[in-house]
Amino acid sequence: MAAHAGHLTGPRLLLRQIRSIMARPGSAQERLDQLVDRIAANMVADVCSIYLRRDSGQMELWATHGLSGDAVHVTRLEANEGLIGEIARTTKPLYLSEAHKHPKFSYHPETGEKPFHAFLGVPILHGGRLLGVLVVQNRMPRIYSEEETEALQNVAMVLAGIVSAGDLFDAQELHTVALRPMREEQGHGKVIAEGLTYGTAVIHEPQVARASLIAEDPEAEEKRLEKAILEMRQAIDTFFQGKGHLLGGPSRDVIEAYRMFAHDQAWVERLYAAAASGLSAEAAVERVRGEHRARLQNARDPYMRERLHDLEDLANRLLRHLGAIDAPADLPARAVLVARDIGPAELLEFDRKKLKGLILENGSPTSHAAIVARALRLPVVGQIKGAMDRINPGDTLLVDAETGTVDIRPAPENINSFEQRLGVRHQRRAVFARQRDVPARTLDGQNIDLFMNAGLQVDLPRLDETGAQGIGLFRTEFQFMLSDHLPRLDAQIALYSSVLEAAKGRPVVFRTLDLGGDKVLPYVAHEREGNPALGWRAMRMALDRPSLLRFQLRALIAAANGRPLNVMFPLITTVAEFRSGRDLLDKEVERARRFGRAVPETINLGSMVETPAIVWQLDELLAEAGFVSVGANDLLQYFFAADRDNDRVSERYDMLNAGALRMLRHIAKTCAKAERPASVCGEIAGHALEAATLIALGFTQLSVPPAAVGPVKRMILTLPAQKLGTALARWIDQGAPDIRRKVAAFAKTHAIRV
Ligand code: PEP
Ligand code: MG
């Protein structure tokens, strides 16, 4: 080895030496002992120690050079104890010139640690999962250079690969290190796509082959990395070539933003630094990605998370260019995928017959994967803390995406009761299927138009399956959010045409792009806004950048191809905004005429009612709009001043409250007086009790998620609408504080199926 390594120095030499130690025969303990000796010698440290995390969460001293040998396997630090605990908590390197002065310093006499001053510790992370901590210490105060910190992180990464592979330990030892949790446990998160499912855990994590962690020839690795980065950038550039002119004004932003991600100097520099320190190109990408992930877990700012998500995505692309990522693995017959976050396209790559559910460590209901999952009817629970850490491949998982609970390695009795719940659900589905062609008419003969919400191609078969009367809200932005580039005009036309084909004459209401807020496009540069829900979104964006909206309207007109067209604008706040949107539509119709193209037989242009401001200008709006649809998700968020995506407040206020109901009643009455149709398309319309209340208020059109069509229709068939309406009016006028309880009690006494 010495002959090969003769020209190497410092960190690179160390990586070489480590690999050769790992290749030697001997017990795991012997190898770790040699490892700490080698690291200490290379870094001229008095102490080098490896702490590994046990099942209990304690950090156990597993090997040391410099501390007392008696402390090995004896010293165990509690999860948050000491400097080791601090590194475990932050998953960041920690350097101190006077370790014992740090408030977190904890002294264990058996280690003989007291006289040491300088301290450098780094987390041993595997795919963002903490396996342990690697530490060097010196008796004298000293400075560890950036290069040394870097080197220690590389060593920790190599160590992580080896530790997580498990072959470092014999069977007995393996059970004591927290690599594979064994106990039954429960995770609590947030429902992202409703449903119940169970299956075998498959961990979704693009892995880099272990053999290639250390560079044989670091210069060659740097070259490989350089080539891959170049290829990736070229692929991105080629993608946009010739497409910019189609998009008008925003195209420049689009291309620039995308290129900016791929050219991000800080990212690229981190990659080169990692490769220069002796890692293979793949391992360098993986290491930088690992750092991002560790930060991602702590980032609270959604913009930051989005940004880091983009960088993670680029890391995947880069690994593909390096040939390091394979196609998704074959799934077991009933698979539940466990991922940190997953891209929508990736999700679609899995075998739909085998994939039964999804668990995400992050993930929000508005994430792209969530949107796709809902469309695929894949139950998803998100925000399960430490899911990747707590779930092993092959574990049985019960996914309750009704309450947001995941049973990990459940006991047999839990599996039984879960199966019973699944059985009940199946029976309910059969009832809904029988109701499919029954008109949605209340017990007292009021006809309700029951539409469904949609946004993707995969939603379309649900129209026939559910018996919905049409699509009351087609969220056109989904196509834009799922694509990694701005959809071209022909792609938009193709989607809208296929929607109209699938509808077979049933009405479809296309809502124009509702972007901004939390719906950010990775390929469009956006400015950070302090308050995105109140910011530059939806119509505000569309009217400031009219070319995007004009292209969309052009696509809708082309797709209609002479058939009737229903369009509505999102987040209208003033009547003037509606008019400006209508002017753009008029221009596009005129343009189609000028080019001799078919124009829609009729155009019905409506507005969403999503801001309290427009609620109080309804008369004026209705003089111009053909219909309105109440976007109750946004309307209630603005009414209660409670962010719909903030768990702390999103469910704090009940819509079954006299104030909110008075507002909704005002909308229903004003529209009835103006003889303009008014529907409700926010999530509440899909909840049976709330839907009953909306009908009692006077709404006769609801547009609900496909899965809610059955339950809402079942409710409608048993609803004495007028009777509830009379009671409700009284409660609202009295300002009753417990309207939900009253409506629920009414439903019970009148046997309404809510
Ligand atoms: C709403 O706000 O209620 C709505 C239907 O629009 P979105 O959920 O897409 O914002
Ligand atoms: Mg909305």
Side-chain angles (χ1 to χ4, degrees):
M1 188 206 71
H4 290 288
H7 63 289
L8 294 176
T9 55
R12 284 187 186 175
L13 175 65
L14 180 59
L15 284 179
R16 255 320 154 78
Q17 290 171 333
I18 286 172
R19 190 167 56 170
S20 108
I21 291 172
M22 288 308 160
R24 281 179 209 161
S27 76
Q29 189 66 51
E30 281 163 7
R31 276 183 284 168
L32 286 188
D33 291 344
Q34 289 169 14
L35 210 84
V36 286
D37 289 344
R38 182 56 59 202
I39 298 169
N42 183 283
M43 296 190 67
V44 202
D46 298 314
V47 172
C48 175
S49 311
I50 295 171
Y51 294 82
L52 294 180
R53 194 163 69 154
R54 280 181 157 269
D55 274 346
S56 61
Q58 287 176 319
M59 293 292 232
E60 176 171 319
L61 181 64
W62 215 269
T64 185
H65 168 100
L67 296 184
S68 162
D70 295 342
V72 172
H73 298 302
V74 173
T75 296
R76 287 183 192 155
L77 303 168
E78 292 307 322
N80 265 323
E81 189 186 345
L83 302 176
I84 304 299
E86 188 63 9
I87 295 166
R89 189 181 66 77
T90 58
T91 61
K92 282 189 184 139
L94 179 65
Y95 158 68
L96 298 165
S97 57
E98 294 288 350
H100 58 276
K101 289 190 184 156
H102 191 280
K104 277 273 191 166
F105 181 78
S106 89
Y107 174 56
H108 283 246
E110 73 275 9
T111 61
E113 191 179 8
K114 210 168 189 178
F116 298 103
H117 288 268
F119 174 102
L120 173 63
V122 297
I124 303 175
L125 291 169
H126 186 68
R129 184 181 319 182
L130 184 94
L131 299 180
V133 171
L134 173 64
V135 174
V136 287
Q137 289 170 279
N138 278 73
R139 220 164 257 124
M140 303 305 289
R142 74 164 262 198
I143 292 170
Y144 293 104
S145 68
E146 235 174 72
E147 199 193 13
E148 283 172 311
T149 311
E150 189 85 14
L152 204 63
Q153 280 176 283
N154 285 345
V155 172
M157 181 180 160
V158 174
L159 201 57
I162 295 158
V163 171
S164 69
D167 55 358
L168 189 64
F169 304 95
D170 56 38
Q172 207 189 353
E173 282 170 320
L174 184 64
H175 290 295
T176 60
V177 187
L179 295 176
R180 302 204 161 101
M182 300 290 175
R183 281 188 303 268
E184 175 185 3
E185 57 176 304
Q186 225 179 32
H188 298 277
K190 187 169 178 137
V191 175
I192 286 186
E194 269 206 30
L196 287 182
T197 190
Y198 66 94
T200 308
V202 174
I203 309 290
H204 176 65
E205 192 170 31
Q207 288 287 358
V208 178
R210 188 155 65 97
S212 63
L213 282 176
I214 301 169
E216 281 296 331
D217 173 357
E219 269 139 47
E221 288 309 297
E222 280 179 53
K223 288 218 173 77
R224 283 185 63 223
L225 188 60
E226 193 179 342
K227 184 164 168 273
I229 292 174
L230 214 73
E231 278 173 10
M232 182 188 73
R233 286 175 177 168
Q234 270 165 3
I236 292 169
D237 287 348
T238 313
F239 199 85
F240 283 112
Q241 244 160 38
K243 295 185 183 166
H245 69 279
L246 278 176
L247 308 166
S251 61
R252 232 188 9 256
D253 295 350
V254 171
I255 294 165
E256 276 317 305
Y258 215 84
R259 286 187 67 236
M260 198 185 78
F261 287 131
H263 289 256
D264 184 286
Q265 221 27 52
W267 180 59
V268 171
E269 271 167 21
R270 297 287 306 138
L271 291 173
Y272 280 126
S277 65
L279 293 177
S280 68
E282 290 88 344
V285 178
E286 193 66 1
R287 214 199 95 182
V288 175
R289 182 226 289 273
E291 290 165 4
H292 280 137
R293 276 187 189 151
R295 256 185 280 159
L296 179 83
Q297 278 154 6
N298 298 327
R300 303 190 62 180
D301 178 346
Y303 281 93
M304 198 61 192
R305 280 204 298 265
E306 205 52 51
R307 175 104 179 90
L308 290 168
H309 191 76
D310 288 334
L311 287 172
E312 168 124 351
D313 199 66
L314 279 171
N316 273 337
R317 277 169 196 262
L318 201 47
L319 287 173
R320 283 214 183 103
H321 283 283
L322 286 165
I325 296 186
D326 302 331
D330 244 2
L331 296 180
R334 283 197 68 91
V336 174
L337 203 61
V338 183
R340 199 162 273 106
D341 248 323
I342 191 169
E346 271 175 303
L347 191 55
L348 289 167
E349 270 170 19
F350 286 96
D351 183 344
R352 266 302 293 131
K353 288 210 179 71
K354 293 176 173 173
L355 184 62
K356 301 294 179 194
L358 178 63
I359 292 174
L360 297 173
E361 256 189 23
N362 303 319
S364 79
T366 48
S367 73
H368 306 173
I371 295 165
V372 172
R374 273 198 290 266
L376 295 174
R377 276 190 276 176
L378 198 65
V380 186
V381 178
Q383 296 169 24
I384 295 281
K385 275 217 173 84
M388 306 282 282
D389 223 353
R390 295 158 67 188
I391 301 171
N392 308 308
D395 279 348
T396 297
L397 299 173
L398 307 180
V399 183
D400 181 344
E402 284 177 349
T403 62
T405 314
V406 179
D407 278 303
I408 306 166
R409 299 172 291 275
E413 60 273 20
N414 291 349
I415 300 182
N416 286 343
S417 68
F418 197 82
E419 277 172 347
Q420 282 169 13
R421 281 179 64 198
L422 272 173
V424 172
R425 239 183 125 85
H426 276 132
Q427 282 170 8
R428 261 201 344 232
R429 270 220 204 116
V431 172
F432 298 151
R434 285 199 295 276
Q435 258 174 208
R436 213 193 73 110
D437 298 319
V438 178
R441 187 174 301 134
T442 63
L443 210 54
D444 48 1
Q446 166 90 61
N447 283 322
I448 305 298
D449 295 324
L450 193 51
F451 295 108
M452 70 170 219
N453 297 341
L456 294 168
Q457 196 98 33
V458 276
D459 291 325
L460 301 179
R462 309 292 314 269
L463 252 182
D464 288 336
E465 280 166 42
T466 60
Q469 279 164 259
I471 298 178
L473 166 67
F474 190 87
R475 291 179 162 105
T476 57
E477 62 275 8
F478 285 1
Q479 184 189 25
F480 285 66
M481 290 162 70
L482 294 188
S483 174
D484 59 3
H485 58 280
L486 205 63
R488 296 160 42 138
L489 186 67
D490 50 3
Q492 294 183 47
I493 297 174
L495 174 65
Y496 307 149
S497 306
S498 66
V499 175
L500 290 170
E501 296 303 328
K504 302 185 199 111
R506 285 167 287 199
V508 177
V509 179
F510 290 98
R511 177 177 72 185
T512 59
L513 284 173
D514 182 11
L515 293 170
D518 57 344
K519 293 172 185 166
V520 287
L521 300 182
Y523 47 86
V524 176
H526 57 268
E527 266 172 40
R528 192 196 150 100
E529 293 181 305
N531 214 337
L534 305 184
W536 194 56
R537 53 169 295 206
M539 260 333 245
R540 303 165 187 184
M541 201 187 237
L543 293 176
D544 289 355
R545 296 281 177 84
S547 53
L548 200 58
L549 179 56
R550 282 193 68 168
F551 269 92
Q552 184 177 30
L553 295 169
R554 194 171 301 171
L556 286 167
I557 292 168
N561 195 21
R563 290 172 285 197
L565 179 64
N566 305 299
V567 180
M568 71 177 166
F569 295 135
L571 205 79
I572 289 290
T573 309
T574 64
V575 181
E577 283 177 347
F578 181 82
R579 279 188 206 125
S580 304
R582 190 188 51 202
D583 290 346
L584 295 178
L585 178 60
D586 289 346
K587 278 190 187 143
E588 283 305 318
V589 173
E590 188 41 46
R591 184 179 183 278
R593 273 210 187 93
R594 224 176 35 244
F595 282 92
R597 303 203 176 118
V599 293
E601 181 186 312
T602 52
I603 296 185
N604 196 10
L605 181 63
S607 168
M608 291 204 68
V609 173
E610 301 190 275
T611 61
I614 205 67
V615 172
W616 307 110
Q617 304 166 72
L618 263 186
D619 284 325
E620 293 84 350
L621 180 71
L622 291 171
E624 319 215 6
F627 64 95
V628 298
S629 186
V630 180
N633 302 336
D634 277 314
L635 182 59
L636 294 174
Q637 123 165 306
Y638 297 128
F639 181 75
F640 289 118
D643 184 347
R644 64 194 260 193
D645 289 325
N646 179 343
D647 285 347
R648 283 211 167 141
V649 296
S650 61
E651 302 206 336
R652 190 179 180 100
Y653 303 103
D654 188 355
M655 138 235 180
L656 295 183
N657 143 295
L661 292 176
R662 279 176 196 155
M663 174 175 64
L664 291 166
R665 182 170 64 178
H666 169 76
I667 300 171
K669 281 195 168 161
T670 312
C671 291
K673 206 165 87 208
E675 295 180 353
R676 289 275 189 266
S679 72
V680 181
C681 64
E683 298 305 306
I684 52 164
H687 301 164
L689 192 74
E690 282 83 345
T693 311
L694 292 167
I695 293 170
L697 284 177
F699 287 99
T700 56
Q701 288 190 349
L702 302 177
S703 190
V704 304
V709 173
V712 170
K713 192 189 274 187
R714 183 177 62 169
M715 178 282 294
I716 291 171
L717 297 175
T718 57
L719 178 70
Q722 284 198 1
K723 204 165 172 189
L724 177 59
T726 310
L728 187 64
R730 202 174 55 242
W731 300 328
I732 294 174
D733 293 339
Q734 288 166 351
D738 55 347
I739 295 183
R740 174 171 296 277
R741 202 185 53 75
K742 285 186 156 67
V743 177
F746 183 99
K748 198 157 179 212
T749 37
H750 292 81
I752 306 171
R753 306 287 302 275
V754 288

